[in-house]
Amino acid sequence: MTDSASAESEFPAEMLHDASDALDPLADAEEGVVKNRAKVGSARPSSLLYTYGPGAIMDLPGFAVMPAGLDDWAPIWKRREHIPSILEPRLLNVVRLHLGPQVDALRPYPWQPKQGAMSKEGADLGIPARVFPQWFRCTGCDYLGPLPRFSYTNTHPFRPDLAQFTHKSCPGRGRQRPGATSRKRESPAVPAQHLLTCTNGHLDEFPYTLWVHRGAKCPKAELPDLKMRDANVGKSVGSTILCASCGATRGMAEAQGAVGRDKLPPKCRGRHPHLGAFDSECGARPTLIMMGASNLWFASTQSIIVMPRTDAEEKEALAARLRVELGVGQVQQFGSQVEVIRALATAKNIDMSGVTDDDLITAIADVLTPADSEEVRQEKLAAWDPVELLVPEWRYLQKPALFPQQQNSSGLMVTEMQRGSGLYPKISRVVAVNQMKKVNAVLGFTRLDEMDRVNDLTSRLVKLTRNGKPSWVPATEDRGEGVFLQLDLDAVTTWENTILGTSLWEAHRAAHRNNFRRRFSETAKQVDPDTRLPAPRYWLLHTLSHILIREMAMSCGYGAASLSERIYGWTSTQQREAAAGLLICTTASDSEGTLGGLVALSEPTRLQGLVVSALRRAARCSSDPVCAMRTPSDPEDFLHGAACHCCSFASETSCEKANRFLDRRFLLNLPTVTGDSVPGFFGNSDVL
């Protein structure tokens, strides 16, 4: 990742080695005198964070790769003169809470420097990756086999998209005519799509040989040749596996669903292809999953908006910098010699101006303070709520007196805006976020279920390193702008109390319970659904956010997919006060951030017209009356009401809840299927 908005991290891969071998991304595969290049593709930091991180499958033009675990990134960092890090103690503390106290840094994704005339291939690369799946099907003759049976070609230095595996001496399909000369050719190969996964996050190749022989060995050959033939449309579903040695056949359709699961191996092998390793034990049962399935990989990330630090936070940041740059061992060795620590810190380019000896002694003591025991950490983790990351941001936005004193070094600049006379009165405040910096960190990933669908988070989170204890995690740092709207808290509380007693809310609650009961994952049944159902105010803010994103996209110069939401919607507890606000923002990896088109919409005259227009559009949908009256009833378990792609849904890059928990009836007075009146927060659209 670089300072350019078009920065892309590169993917090298050791092509001809099995995923169980140690990965050396800088040792390019060679075939004869033709050198194969290591680079096979590229991706933006944002896609690596949310879509194609370690453990995910990236489908390239010729084959698929899986970004490797953090252990295999070590050769990349060793070639750097300086290992960059993102210093944000508030987020680092959350990562340490989840993954352990050994995590001492957030690092950006490594990027491959642009190659110049004198550059050397392989001198420095980006993110290492493994070829996965490693079973391929020949497109010329349908031969199905493991990776070593195919030839790899990647010789063009500036065309990694041409890299591919081929089947040499492919005989083609059909029978050879008598007397005809045998003509062999070289046909491209594509990855076999079928995989096995389990709730513990393991992923493995599908056992095609065992499958076609129904768990037995081939009677004709020890290592039989297989073929994968696509089914003719209308005759059957899925592909058919054929053993060329004994003639056995079996369709892949038999492996689908709950019935097909009983025909699969009874025990998962515990394979982690991104680590090139196997877990010693896994008691989960495997299930069939396709290579491009949406539930193959769910990123587990946490993010914060960087705010001006207090004095205590500055001292904590200094301690974090000493821990990263000097290491605990060096700080412990020279901890009693303040001047030595100061000199070592200065040599590491740590700004020590303004740092008193007392501040430095406090930071040293912080570095050397023993970490919490594992039992204490688990107790804190069990009590932790993701809302805790949002509370400091909400509290800062409640103090306009601090805005003129903001420290530009934090990357946050906000301005309290005047409310337009025509702005709906229940929108109490408008804050223009002129500049902001957002830091996102990777905790790991899950398979089959998204993070908020499980309560045994530590056991379901797939590890990023072979020992499960990373010393750093990948992170991104984005800059941008936004608009913050706050609703009248008293009005929201009054409205929410009314909604809680309606039949519509009971229908949503029942659908949410059904949704959890019917989850495919074995662990979802351990979740109390009511603890995961957001309060009505969240539905209100979430729906308002979506209709504003759709409206703002037509005026701000950014596409709707470039806008994202951050919802501050929770009821009061002993630990925090109630909140009801939303931030619509856009961020980019460019060092200069974005261009100001979104924050300009916070001007009073533009915003009030935009809000009125958005609410009026939300009052009608091209799918009405079906959409307006949509209410889940048993056995339905969808997690939205009067909302659809025509009126309220947003892209997956914009929505923080995957288009769940939306209902236009919470915004406006719309009819229900039973005819009951549900009070919309903003009333009737015809009086806006």
Side-chain angles (χ1 to χ4, degrees):
M1 187 175 64
T2 66
D3 287 339
S4 170
S6 61
E8 297 179 334
S9 293
E10 313 298 338
F11 283 98
E14 178 59 59
M15 292 303 166
L16 301 183
H17 283 68
D18 185 81
S20 61
D21 296 338
L23 184 66
D24 184 1
L26 302 176
D28 300 339
E30 294 188 4
E31 183 178 351
V33 295
V34 180
K35 181 177 178 63
N36 283 312
R37 306 285 171 171
K39 178 182 174 182
V40 296
S42 60
R44 288 179 174 269
S46 57
S47 66
L48 293 171
L49 185 72
Y50 298 114
T51 312
Y52 298 120
I57 294 179
M58 174 176 280
D59 199 2
L60 300 177
F63 51 93
V65 297
M66 176 178 289
L70 304 187
D71 296 313
D72 296 313
W73 297 29
I76 306 298
W77 293 122
K78 286 180 180 178
R79 283 168 167 76
R80 306 295 171 92
E81 295 181 0
H82 174 70
I83 299 178
S85 63
I86 299 174
L87 188 65
E88 189 48 53
R90 187 159 65 96
L91 184 58
L92 181 60
N93 288 338
V94 173
V95 175
R96 289 163 62 90
L97 177 64
H98 283 79
L99 303 182
Q102 78 285 343
V103 181
D104 57 18
L106 309 174
R107 295 184 186 176
Y109 289 97
W111 55 276
Q112 181 182 17
K114 296 295 183 182
Q115 295 188 15
M118 304 300 292
S119 63
K120 181 181 178 182
E121 172 75 16
D124 196 1
L125 292 172
I127 297 173
R130 288 182 167 85
V131 177
F132 192 84
Q134 295 202 331
W135 274 67
F136 285 78
R137 179 178 69 88
C138 174
T139 58
C141 66
D142 296 329
Y143 170 75
L144 176 67
L147 180 145
R149 300 291 296 272
F150 298 88
S151 301
Y152 174 66
T153 305
N154 180 21
T155 58
H156 199 298
F158 302 109
R159 291 293 304 276
D161 57 296
L162 298 180
Q164 66 174 353
F165 286 89
T166 58
H167 184 206
K168 289 188 175 181
S169 302
C170 170
R173 296 184 181 89
R175 295 181 179 178
Q176 185 175 337
R177 292 178 297 175
T181 304
S182 177
R183 299 184 61 184
K184 303 294 184 179
R185 57 181 177 177
E186 189 173 350
S187 300
V190 296
Q193 299 284 320
H194 308 89
L195 301 167
L196 293 179
T197 188
C198 75
T199 54
N200 291 327
H202 299 117
L203 190 66
D204 207 348
E205 306 278 1
F206 190 86
Y208 294 103
T209 303
L210 289 175
W211 175 256
V212 71
H213 295 104
R214 302 182 183 275
K217 293 183 178 181
C218 177
K220 300 290 186 180
E222 184 177 355
L223 297 174
D225 288 343
L226 305 181
K227 290 182 179 292
M228 176 185 285
R229 291 177 176 169
D230 294 330
N232 294 326
V233 177
K235 290 188 177 181
S236 62
V237 178
S239 304
T240 299
I241 309 301
L242 168 68
C243 177
S245 300
C246 68
T249 62
R250 195 175 189 185
M252 292 303 302
E254 291 186 38
Q256 299 178 1
V259 175
R261 194 179 190 189
D262 294 334
K263 302 176 183 179
L264 297 175
K267 187 176 181 180
C268 173
R269 294 201 305 166
R271 184 182 183 186
H272 287 305
H274 67 295
L275 302 176
F278 289 79
D279 284 343
S280 57
E281 294 182 1
C282 177
R285 293 187 59 194
T287 183
L288 177 70
I289 193 169
M290 303 302 288
M291 190 181 80
S294 60
N295 62 340
L296 179 68
W297 188 85
F298 292 105
S300 168
T301 62
Q302 295 295 338
S303 63
I304 64 165
I305 294 175
V306 180
M307 298 180 300
R309 295 178 182 142
T310 63
D311 292 340
E313 290 172 335
E314 285 290 353
K315 295 177 181 178
E316 187 177 4
L318 176 60
R321 192 71 182 273
L322 293 177
R323 186 182 295 109
V324 172
E325 298 293 345
L326 303 186
V328 176
Q330 199 168 34
V331 174
Q332 189 172 16
Q333 181 180 359
F334 301 105
S336 60
Q337 306 176 49
V338 176
E339 292 304 320
V340 174
I341 294 293
R342 185 184 293 274
L344 292 172
T346 303
K348 290 289 187 178
N349 296 320
I350 301 178
D351 184 12
M352 302 300 291
S353 59
V355 178
T356 65
D357 287 349
D358 291 339
D359 293 338
L360 190 53
I361 291 172
T362 301
I364 293 171
D366 192 1
V367 173
L368 300 180
T369 300
D372 291 335
S373 65
E374 184 63 18
E375 292 76 12
V376 173
R377 184 178 74 87
Q378 291 296 338
E379 290 177 3
K380 291 182 178 180
L381 181 58
W384 184 78
D385 189 334
V387 169
E388 294 179 15
L389 284 175
L390 301 175
V391 173
E393 300 168 13
W394 168 261
R395 289 174 177 170
Y396 180 81
L397 291 169
Q398 302 306 301
K399 301 176 182 178
L402 296 178
F403 297 171
Q405 307 170 13
Q406 56 202 336
Q407 303 172 15
N408 293 338
S409 60
S410 70
L412 180 65
M413 293 183 62
V414 295
T415 305
E416 182 87 6
M417 302 297 291
Q418 287 187 340
R419 292 183 67 264
S421 57
L423 186 64
Y424 198 79
K426 291 186 178 179
I427 299 178
S428 60
R429 291 180 65 231
V430 179
V431 177
V433 183
N434 309 90
Q435 294 181 18
M436 59 175 283
K437 184 165 65 174
K438 185 180 178 184
V439 179
N440 317 279
V442 177
L443 300 179
F445 63 92
T446 58
R447 303 198 194 276
L448 294 179
D449 275 327
E450 199 173 0
M451 284 282 293
D452 64 346
R453 313 292 291 170
V454 294
N455 66 343
D456 51 340
L457 188 58
T458 54
S459 63
R460 286 293 304 278
L461 200 62
V462 182
K463 56 189 179 183
L464 297 176
T465 59
R466 294 182 183 92
N467 64 3
K469 296 183 177 181
S471 59
W472 60 274
V473 296
T476 62
E477 191 174 35
D478 303 328
R479 292 170 173 81
E481 58 184 285
V483 179
F484 172 78
L485 300 182
Q486 180 175 325
L487 303 185
D488 185 284
L489 290 172
D490 293 334
V492 169
T493 301
T494 301
W495 170 86
E496 187 173 50
N497 291 333
T498 304
I499 290 295
L500 289 173
T502 62
S503 59
L504 176 62
W505 181 249
E506 287 303 317
H508 283 314
R509 186 193 300 273
H512 188 256
R513 290 170 178 169
N514 289 337
N515 186 280
F516 265 81
R517 279 197 298 266
R518 295 167 185 166
R519 295 298 299 175
F520 187 76
S521 170
E522 289 85 347
T523 58
K525 59 189 176 185
Q526 303 172 17
V527 181
D528 179 5
D530 291 344
T531 63
R532 302 300 175 91
L533 179 64
R537 69 176 64 202
Y538 186 93
W539 291 63
L540 166 66
L541 292 162
H542 196 201
T543 310
L544 178 61
S545 172
H546 276 224
I547 67 170
L548 289 177
I549 285 175
R550 296 165 71 99
E551 192 71 25
M552 288 177 171
M554 294 186 285
S555 305
C556 68
Y558 302 108
S562 299
L563 304 181
S564 60
E565 62 188 4
R566 201 165 177 87
I567 308 297
Y568 304 88
W570 55 81
T571 55
S572 61
T573 65
Q574 293 181 351
Q575 292 77 25
R576 54 182 177 266
E577 66 279 9
L582 61 94
L583 171 65
I584 298 176
C585 59
T586 182
T587 57
S589 57
D590 191 282
S591 60
E592 299 300 327
T594 49
L595 300 176
L598 179 59
V599 72
L601 299 182
S602 63
E603 297 175 1
T605 54
R606 298 189 66 180
L607 182 63
Q608 63 189 28
L610 185 147
V611 171
V612 170
S613 178
L615 289 172
R616 285 178 176 171
R617 289 180 190 272
R620 297 173 179 86
C621 172
S622 58
S623 295
D624 283 344
V626 175
C627 177
M629 295 184 177
R630 183 182 292 112
T631 303
S633 60
D634 191 63
E636 296 169 329
D637 61 358
F638 49 84
L639 301 180
H640 63 274
C644 67
H645 288 285
C646 301
C647 60
S648 305
F649 283 3
S651 67
E652 62 181 10
T653 57
S654 300
C655 180
E656 66 180 26
K657 289 294 186 181
N659 285 318
R660 303 193 300 265
F661 314 125
L662 298 166
D663 197 324
R664 290 182 292 134
R665 286 168 292 193
F666 291 152
L667 290 177
L668 302 164
N669 296 334
L670 298 176
T672 66
V673 68
T674 60
D676 297 336
S677 175
V678 178
F681 183 76
F682 293 101
N684 296 318
S685 61
D686 53 359
V687 298
L688 292 174

